[in-house]
Amino acid sequence: MRRAALVVVLALCACPAAADGPGARAPQRDVTAEDYPAPPLPRGHVVLEGAFGKTAVDVEIAATPASTQRGMMWRRELQAGKGMLFVFDGESVHSFWMKNTLIPLDLIFIRADFTVAGVVENAQPRTLTGRGVDRPSQYVLEVPGGWSSPAGIRAGTRVTFDLPPLAH
């Protein structure tokens, strides 16, 4: 009898769901899933010197493979003056798709010399169409759809960053 009770106790202790309670689920590991518990991202500022003066954007920084893959997925809004900056190790031609992105975005591709390589305006949400500018960039800034043109942002615009040290 004691042996049977010991076996049941050991079995319950070895089962993570039992230890966390009935119906407990393992944490979501798919970064593209809506219920993925994304950790907070580092924050910084990007200043663009557009045709109508300087404009600052408060950014979340996606500098890891997981945060880059997740991006702006599942966000229901993005306020003016806010955005996400994607940081890559070097210049390359980048393409973004909007599969699980719920809002239109402008994508501003920035070269290593801190000038804008090009802009994709009002990228349609929930599509697999690749969007890019056919010129190399090291950074991509996502802002609310329709923001870039009224701010005077176009190829050649100067950009400065105020970012914390980043780990890739």
Side-chain angles (χ1 to χ4, degrees):
M1 181 73 150
R2 281 185 166 176
R3 186 164 193 253
L6 180 60
V7 168
V8 168
V9 168
L10 290 174
L12 287 174
C13 290
C15 177
D20 292 335
R25 293 179 38 196
Q28 179 60 259
R29 288 194 167 94
D30 177 3
V31 300
T32 66
E34 186 171 10
D35 63 345
Y36 175 75
L41 297 177
R43 300 190 77 87
H45 293 91
V46 174
V47 177
L48 300 109
E49 299 178 35
F52 310 118
K54 292 183 179 183
T55 305
V57 179
D58 177 31
V59 296
E60 293 176 83
I61 304 163
T64 65
S67 63
T68 298
Q69 185 178 3
R70 176 82 177 178
M72 297 291 294
M73 287 182 182
W74 305 111
R75 308 273 180 109
R76 300 201 184 287
E77 66 178 354
L78 182 59
Q79 298 174 352
K82 306 285 184 185
M84 181 173 284
L85 181 68
F86 295 82
V87 178
F88 299 99
D89 289 330
E91 283 194 330
S92 184
V93 174
H94 297 285
S95 180
F96 282 60
W97 49 267
M98 309 277 287
K99 179 182 177 188
N100 296 323
T101 306
L102 306 178
I103 55 177
L105 298 171
D106 285 1
L107 290 77
I108 303 169
F109 294 80
I110 304 167
R111 293 188 284 246
D113 69 358
F114 302 103
T115 60
V116 172
V119 179
V120 173
E121 294 188 55
N122 278 309
Q124 181 183 0
R126 300 199 135 206
T127 63
L128 292 174
T129 304
R131 292 168 179 85
V133 295
D134 294 328
R135 287 185 286 283
S137 61
Q138 185 169 352
Y139 310 94
V140 178
L141 175 62
E142 290 184 342
V143 294
W147 179 87
S148 299
S149 185
I153 309 304
R154 58 182 173 249
T157 296
R158 301 271 326 139
V159 182
T160 56
F161 293 160
D162 179 14
L163 308 177
L166 301 172
H168 293 292

